[in-house]
Amino acid sequence: MLKHLAAAAALLAFTTAGFAQDARTTIANASKAMGDLRTVEFSATGYDFVLGQNYGAAAPWPKFINKSYTRLIDFQTPASRVDRVRMQGENPPRGGGQQPVIGEQNQNQLIIVNADTPWVQQLEIWMMPHGFLKAATANNATASSKTVGGKKYTVLTFMGQNKAPVSGYINDKNMVERVETKIDNAFFGDMEFSAIYSDFKDFNGVQFPTHIVQTQGGHPIFDLNVSSVKVNGPVTIQAPQGRGAGAGAAAPAAAAALPTEKLSDGAYLILGGYACLAIEFRDHIVVIEGPQSEARATAVIAEAKKLIPNKPIRYVVNTHAHIDHSSGLRPFVAEGATIITHQNNKAYLDRVLNLRSEEHTSE
C-alpha cells in the first residue's frame, strides 16, 4: 500500500512539474514569436460603449464614436495613458450614458501602478497581449489545453489580486489571441471581462494586434482598429502636477445620517446620493429607487426605517434597469422587499440579480 502511495506521489510531483514546464515553455515561445515589447504607443479609431446603460434589457451597451484614440503603455513602470476624442454614436440617442454628446468630447485616462492601484485598473495593462505574458511570468501561471469552436489553444492561467483567475489563450502561431477574467460589479456580480486580439502585424520585430475588442457583461465596451504602432520608444507617463498631486486615496468617511426632507406626512426625500423616496403605508414602507451600490442601498434602508419606524420595507420601485439605478436592489431583496418595475425589465433583473449568489466569489 505504501509503495502505491509513494508511486502516486511521485506521479503527482512529475505531473505538476510537467505543467509548470509547459507554462514556462509556452510563455517563452509566445514571447519569442510576439517580440520583446517594453513600451508602446498606438493610435486607433473605433467605438466605446457604456456599460449597463442599454436602451432595452436585451440590447447592447450604447455606442460612441472614437474619432481618435492614442494610448501609451510602459510595461516596465508599469503605466498607461489614453487620450481620445469621442463623439455621439447613435442618432437618435438610445439608452443612457450621458447622451447625447454634442460635438467632440476630449477624454483621458491615466494609470500609474503602485501598491494602492485597484486590480481592475491594473488589468488594463496586464490584459494586453504582451502585458499578459509578463503578468503570467510574474504570477507563476499554469498551462492547460482547450478547444474552442474547433480551434486548439494552450491556456495560461494565473490568479488575479481579486482571487479570480486570469486566462490567456495562445493560438498555434504563439499569439495571445484572447484574455479573460472576472471583475467585481455591484450589479452583475462576478462580471465577465474579456479582450480579443486579431489581425496581428509586424512593427519593427514586434507582433501587435490591429483589431482590439473588449467586452464586459456580455457586450463590447471597446472596438478599436489600430492604425499606427510605435514600439520600444521613449514614453513619458506622469501624474498631473499641482495641488493634491501624488496624494494617496482618501480615507473612507465615517458613516453619517443621510440628509432628508419631509415632503408631506408619510413621504420623505432621502438625499446624499441618487435621490430616493420613502413612503409610509398603513403597515409597510415603499422605497422608490434602489440605486448606485449596495452601500448606498443599505444606508437608504436604514434611513427609511429611522424615518418610518416599526414597519417593514415591502416594496422597492425600480424606475428603470440602468446599472446606476439598479445596483442597490440586492439589499432590498435581502430585506424581503418585492421589486416593482416595468414588465420589460422582469426577465433581465431576474437573471442579473441571481448572478451574484451563483457566481460571485471574489470581493
Side-chain angles (χ1 to χ4, degrees):
M1 180 65 178
L2 292 176
K3 291 182 179 180
H4 288 301
L5 289 173
L11 178 60
L12 177 61
F14 175 80
T15 303
T16 303
F19 271 116
Q21 180 61 42
D22 286 344
R24 288 195 292 268
T25 301
T26 299
I27 293 171
N29 291 340
S31 299
K32 181 178 179 181
M34 294 179 61
D36 179 25
L37 187 62
R38 299 177 298 280
T39 66
V40 65
E41 177 180 349
F42 67 91
S43 299
T45 56
Y47 306 97
D48 71 83
F49 307 78
V50 180
L51 177 74
Q53 296 291 324
N54 41 333
Y55 177 71
W61 318 135
K63 179 174 67 176
F64 298 82
I65 296 169
N66 283 198
K67 180 180 179 181
S68 66
Y69 179 101
T70 301
R71 186 175 183 192
L72 286 71
I73 304 175
D74 183 343
F75 291 105
Q76 300 170 111
T77 299
S80 168
R81 189 180 82 221
V82 172
D83 297 287
R84 66 177 176 178
V85 177
R86 191 169 179 258
M87 301 170 62
Q88 180 66 24
E90 298 177 348
N91 291 293
R94 296 173 66 84
Q98 299 182 345
Q99 298 187 75
V101 173
I102 306 300
E104 297 181 352
Q105 184 183 72
N106 293 302
Q107 292 188 334
N108 56 69
Q109 178 196 50
L110 178 67
I111 301 170
I112 300 178
V113 177
N114 57 43
D116 299 321
T117 305
W119 179 241
V120 68
Q121 292 185 19
Q122 295 187 46
L123 282 171
E124 293 293 337
I125 298 172
W126 304 132
M127 288 183 70
M128 292 296 294
H130 297 82
F132 172 78
L133 293 177
K134 297 177 190 298
T137 301
N139 290 279
N140 300 314
T142 58
S144 61
S145 297
K146 191 171 183 178
T147 301
V148 181
K151 190 172 181 179
K152 293 182 179 180
Y153 295 92
T154 299
V155 181
L156 296 171
T157 301
F158 66 88
M159 194 62 67
Q161 291 182 10
N162 63 343
K163 307 303 180 185
V166 183
S167 296
Y169 290 68
I170 318 299
N171 64 23
D172 58 356
K173 296 181 180 179
N174 287 314
M175 299 291 115
V176 179
E177 189 174 302
R178 178 186 181 96
V179 181
E180 62 184 22
T181 187
K182 289 185 178 181
I183 55 178
D184 187 60
N185 182 273
F187 187 44
F188 292 104
D190 277 353
M191 181 177 68
E192 165 270 328
F193 181 16
S194 69
I196 301 170
Y197 304 102
S198 59
D199 301 331
F200 282 82
K201 293 183 180 179
D202 185 280
F203 296 92
N204 293 327
V206 172
Q207 293 289 327
F208 196 84
T210 59
H211 190 200
I212 300 172
V213 177
Q214 284 189 358
T215 68
Q216 289 185 4
H219 298 295
I221 58 167
F222 270 106
D223 190 336
L224 298 176
N225 292 302
V226 177
S227 56
S228 68
V229 179
K230 300 176 183 178
V231 303
N232 296 329
V235 167
T236 301
I237 303 174
Q238 293 181 331
Q241 303 300 307
R243 183 180 297 177
L258 300 179
T260 62
E261 180 181 342
K262 183 176 181 179
L263 302 178
S264 65
D265 289 344
Y268 299 89
L269 180 64
I270 302 176
L271 302 170
Y274 278 27
C276 301
L277 287 171
I279 302 173
E280 182 179 10
F281 286 80
R282 182 175 57 84
D283 59 352
H284 65 277
I285 304 168
V286 173
V287 174
I288 298 178
E289 211 69 292
Q292 293 178 280
S293 67
E294 293 185 8
R296 168 65 177 165
T298 300
V300 167
I301 288 170
E303 193 65 26
K305 289 182 175 181
K306 178 181 174 182
L307 293 166
I308 308 171
N310 304 317
K311 291 185 180 181
I313 298 174
R314 192 164 293 169
Y315 301 99
V316 56
V317 178
N318 171 240
T319 60
H320 60 293
H322 285 173
I323 191 170
D324 52 332
H325 287 264
S326 304
S327 291
L329 289 176
R330 283 191 177 88
F332 284 96
V333 174
E335 282 284 317
T338 298
I339 300 171
I340 306 298
T341 191
H342 192 282
Q343 61 182 357
N344 290 346
N345 299 329
K346 183 179 183 303
Y348 179 62
L349 290 177
D350 188 48
R351 177 177 63 82
V352 170
L353 293 176
N354 278 295
L355 288 176
R356 190 176 185 121
S357 61
E358 295 174 0
E359 300 178 9
H360 186 82
T361 57
S362 59
E363 294 294 342

